[in-house]
Amino acid sequence: MTLAVVLASFRTRFSFAMVTKHRIRATALQRGYPEDYAMTIFRQHDIRRKIKELAIGTRPGLRLLVGTLCGACNVTLITLCFSAAPARAEPILGIEASVTAVDIPGASAIAQVGTFLSGPPIPLGQCTLPHPIPTSFGDFIKPGAVLDPKRILVGSRSNFGAPLADGVGSEGSFLSIDPSQSDSQSDQPLVIKSDFAQSGDQASTLGGAVQMFSANSPHWLNGFYNPSATTASYTGVSNPLGLSNNNAFGRIWPANAPFGDTGVGSSSILDPTGLPLKGAPNSLIGGVYVGSLTNRDVVATPQQRQVIPGALSKGAVGTALLGPSPDGTCKAVFAVVTADGAIVQEHTLKGLDGLAHAGTVRPILGRSWGPLNQDIEPRFGVIMNPYTQAPIVRQLFVSEPFNNTIAVINLVVTGADGNQVFKMDSVTRINSPSLNLPVDLAPVQRDAGNPNWASNSTLDQDSDFYVANRGNSTIVHMKQDGTEVAVRRVTLNDIPLADGTLNGIATSTDGTTIYVTAAGPGQIGFVLALPAF
């Protein structure tokens, strides 16, 4: 029996889907259930058993699981599906989540915005930050604004009604969501309308609780501020699968697979307006890197060869800030991992160089989460550790979902004076029986204060990290050496979240809250909040 059949049977035989609490109550009463029985639907074993029997029968080996959706008209409070439950020697403790927002198709990369520092960073000499966000975009970081530090940015494969930019990839957007605005008193999440952004700009809905940050729509073309850029016709977001916020001395950096994992990838630098970088250090780059169009040998002035060969030749599926360039320019450099397992580095002034060859990370090229989730792109989780011992200057931790491992990539500096870049030194791997399709990583404590590399993707000194397992919807708390601290299974109303559901993870800047995305077939996509552990 397929999930589609189960859901169809469920809707036909017990019509809870796409209804409000009132309609749930009315339907339950019509079928002879007491009123209090209907309104505490998740908390009473008998009703769960009856729903299970009605939806999928009493087939052995099937487990009742929960997702949260929204219908076209009213709130969907529950959706039931199932999966085979693998045996485990010791049960995994549950961790109860609350639903923050629903109806985010393909919900993927997620990060709390965090506080942008005013700089200037002084890593290698006297560096200045000409346009820090706090002084140049003060209105955008005020309480309730699109980059309010407490809000979360969430990637989606939908434009939410914004017109699609012509010929530069599939739909995709980042939403800015106020997680405090979900209605905890009535147990209602934020229900996001599928067309709320049809105006094509930074539209908002639900009283500003949900705002469009940026999408693959003509309003956000790189050419708006950078008409001579080699990527002028591209936007900064299209099927976004990675996100790293340069809270230290920069901007928002998404990573995208606009043409799927087999097509060229893109990566961008976005101002708080959602537009690619205004006043970019290199006018040929502007704020968008695509394929080989923004390689060092194409955009650098004076013209020069790449220090290490590389390109965004496949979909960009993960990214992390590396910090200021080691070449003394103090310009930001980001690592981007592509679906073929290669890693590139992007310099805001000199363009793109390679960093590690294809296959360094176990590839996800051509892989999928299975027949029911063909429209959910696999992705890598990427975090960076700057607190290393010489000669290692950085470490990247990259999840390898289909290998059930985490690659630990040690970086050193190479290149002639004035053109130094990061280079891979060695790779080791973390193996653990608790890894089950590890889709994303997040610091337990993110570095929020260092002016060189503060970011949602940067580990604070000696911080552990979390692993989001898509395979069994668990979260692993792990030390940097791979030692398991704890494992928790995400639950909603004491019922485990569906296997094959988790799709992203982030931590709040204060380290008290974990945010996760979950995504499934069709329009299924939502955000959950749960306590740190």
Side-chain angles (χ1 to χ4, degrees):
M1 182 183 294
T2 67
L3 178 62
V5 173
V6 170
L7 293 179
S9 174
F10 176 75
R11 291 188 180 99
T12 300
R13 300 168 66 185
F14 203 74
S15 57
F16 276 126
M18 294 187 244
V19 291
T20 61
K21 271 188 176 181
H22 174 76
R23 290 177 64 191
I24 287 178
R25 173 180 173 275
T27 303
L29 292 175
Q30 184 181 14
R31 293 182 179 268
Y33 298 123
E35 182 168 354
D36 60 344
Y37 200 47
M39 300 312 290
T40 58
I41 195 166
F42 278 114
R43 294 182 173 87
Q44 298 192 33
H45 172 74
D46 287 345
I47 191 70
R48 293 199 300 266
R49 177 178 57 80
K50 289 181 181 297
I51 294 171
K52 178 178 178 180
E53 291 172 356
L54 286 165
I56 59 176
T58 56
R59 297 173 59 191
L62 299 180
R63 182 161 55 90
L64 187 64
L65 303 151
V66 176
T68 306
L69 300 173
C70 171
C73 301
N74 296 303
V75 177
T76 295
L77 298 179
I78 60 171
T79 290
L80 301 179
C81 49
F82 70 89
S83 71
R88 179 181 168 92
E90 297 180 2
I92 300 174
L93 297 177
I95 185 166
E96 186 68 11
S98 60
V99 184
T100 298
V102 300
D103 279 7
I104 308 173
S108 56
I110 183 171
Q112 188 172 54
V113 173
T115 299
F116 291 94
L117 306 182
S118 296
I122 310 176
L124 301 169
Q126 296 300 315
C127 300
T128 59
L129 180 60
H131 304 292
I133 283 178
T135 56
S136 298
F137 296 95
D139 288 344
F140 288 81
I141 59 174
K142 291 179 178 178
V146 69
L147 291 186
D148 174 347
K150 295 182 179 180
R151 296 175 75 96
I152 53 177
L153 295 174
V154 182
S156 172
R157 57 181 171 80
S158 171
N159 271 14
F160 291 93
L164 179 64
D166 186 28
V168 290
S170 59
E171 288 193 12
S173 62
F174 272 101
L175 302 181
S176 170
I177 298 174
D178 183 350
S180 71
Q181 292 301 305
S182 57
D183 191 346
S184 58
Q185 291 186 347
S186 61
D187 201 28
Q188 289 294 299
L190 297 167
V191 181
I192 302 174
K193 294 182 179 180
S194 62
D195 61 351
F196 86 90
Q198 58 186 324
S199 62
D201 54 18
Q202 283 189 330
S204 66
T205 186
L206 301 174
V210 177
Q211 300 177 42
M212 174 61 72
F213 173 62
S214 190
N216 190 13
S217 193
H219 177 78
W220 288 287
L221 290 176
N222 190 25
F224 186 85
Y225 286 128
N226 306 286
S228 62
T230 59
T231 54
S233 64
Y234 285 83
T235 66
V237 181
S238 174
N239 188 26
L241 299 175
L243 178 64
S244 184
N245 300 341
N246 184 351
N247 295 104
F249 60 103
R251 302 291 192 263
I252 306 297
W253 286 65
N256 310 287
F259 306 101
D261 60 4
T262 60
V264 296
S266 76
S267 173
S268 58
I269 316 167
L270 302 183
D271 281 335
T273 60
L275 279 158
L277 189 60
K278 181 180 181 180
N282 188 321
S283 62
L284 294 179
I285 300 171
V288 180
Y289 302 77
V290 178
S292 59
L293 296 176
T294 41
N295 284 3
R296 179 187 289 253
D297 56 356
V298 176
V299 299
T301 303
Q303 190 171 16
Q304 54 191 267
R305 298 176 63 183
Q306 285 185 300
V307 181
I308 302 174
L312 292 169
S313 58
K314 303 299 178 184
V317 291
T319 186
L321 170 66
L322 291 175
S325 171
D327 64 7
T329 62
C330 301
K331 298 302 183 185
V333 177
F334 276 72
V336 181
V337 189
T338 50
D340 58 358
I343 307 174
V344 301
Q345 55 191 309
E346 297 171 346
H347 191 297
T348 58
L349 175 63
K350 298 179 180 179
L352 184 148
D353 284 285
L355 195 158
H357 57 77
T360 298
V361 180
R362 300 294 190 233
I364 57 177
L365 193 65
R367 303 296 296 269
S368 80
W369 298 127
L372 295 177
N373 289 281
Q374 293 288 347
D375 52 352
I376 306 297
E377 294 271 3
R379 51 189 298 265
F380 292 131
V382 188
I383 53 178
M384 188 274 289
N385 174 30
Y387 299 101
T388 57
Q389 297 292 322
I392 304 303
V393 296
R394 303 284 192 276
Q395 280 183 321
L396 288 173
F397 291 77
V398 185
S399 65
E400 299 178 310
F402 297 105
N403 203 49
N404 287 329
T405 51
I406 297 169
V408 183
I409 301 156
N410 294 314
L411 306 183
V412 295
V413 173
T414 190
D417 287 349
N419 281 316
Q420 296 98 326
V421 297
F422 296 103
K423 174 188 175 183
M424 181 182 72
D425 178 74
S426 60
V427 182
T428 59
R429 284 184 164 79
I430 293 172
N431 293 272
S432 170
S434 294
L435 298 178
N436 190 329
L437 296 183
V439 64
D440 203 4
L441 309 173
V444 169
Q445 185 61 59
R446 59 188 269 186
D447 192 319
N450 191 294
N452 296 320
W453 45 63
S455 173
N456 64 291
S457 58
T458 302
L459 290 157
D460 206 354
Q461 191 161 12
D462 299 322
S463 173
D464 300 341
F465 59 88
Y466 292 116
V467 185
N469 282 322
R470 186 171 176 89
N472 59 359
S473 292
T474 59
I475 298 174
V476 183
H477 181 157
M478 184 171 281
K479 292 185 177 297
Q480 291 184 29
D481 64 3
T483 302
E484 177 188 305
V485 177
V487 184
R488 296 290 184 267
R489 189 182 304 277
V490 180
T491 63
L492 285 172
N493 297 284
D494 299 322
I495 302 176
L497 190 69
D499 291 353
T501 303
L502 288 187
N503 207 37
I505 188 168
T507 45
S508 61
T509 53
D510 63 8
T512 63
T513 304
I514 299 170
Y515 297 104
V516 296
T517 56
Q523 301 300 305
I524 298 176
F526 48 99
V527 175
L528 305 176
L530 51 150
F533 64 93

